[in-house]
Amino acid sequence: MSKRLVVSSLAAVAAVAAGTVVFVSSADAAVPDKPEISKATAHYTAEADGGASLTFTASVADNSKIKNLRVLAWPASSGLAPTAAEMRDVEEATCKATSTTVSTCTYTVKTSAKEAATLPEGVWHVSALATAKDHDTTFAPHAATFTVKH
């Protein structure tokens, strides 16, 4: 048994004996090996000029940092079922690091009044493909939903 392990063990025993429990954690211990998409939200807003905007935001974590997050919004009524392979060619969100392993990614798109009027009403899904700098990927076919109303 190494001296460092013995000293650490004795320190833990002393802390418990004194009635004090100390928890040591590492932020990197909870960081996923593959990209993890969380806190995903989508907001569709009809603009005063008749146009519309969609903002999708998600927190993305990976132990090798995030390379990009690709985003595709599609109407549920369309019957589409995008695959991860198809997502490789869609638009990217803008990602900003909030720590060494987590980024907040935001995708915003605006449409003209003419374009907004042609969007199918009802529930829409947002699919997202996260790619880490080590090239691991995670695909979320239904990362978020929103409703289009005219």
Side-chain angles (χ1 to χ4, degrees), residues 69-146:
L69 181 70
R70 297 193 179 269
V71 179
L72 178 67
W74 49 279
S77 62
S78 70
L80 289 175
T83 65
E86 293 168 330
M87 293 290 294
R88 295 183 196 284
D89 296 320
V90 301
E91 294 180 335
E92 286 185 24
T94 301
C95 296
K96 294 189 182 202
T98 57
S99 75
T100 58
T101 56
V102 179
S103 293
T104 297
C105 300
T106 304
Y107 172 77
T108 301
V109 63
K110 295 183 182 234
T111 63
S112 68
K114 185 177 180 180
E115 291 169 326
T118 65
L119 295 175
E121 285 191 317
V123 175
W124 284 57
H125 299 291
V126 178
S127 297
L129 176 68
T131 302
K133 290 197 174 182
D134 65 2
H135 304 290
D136 284 341
T137 61
T138 295
F139 177 53
H142 296 112
T145 60
F146 62 95

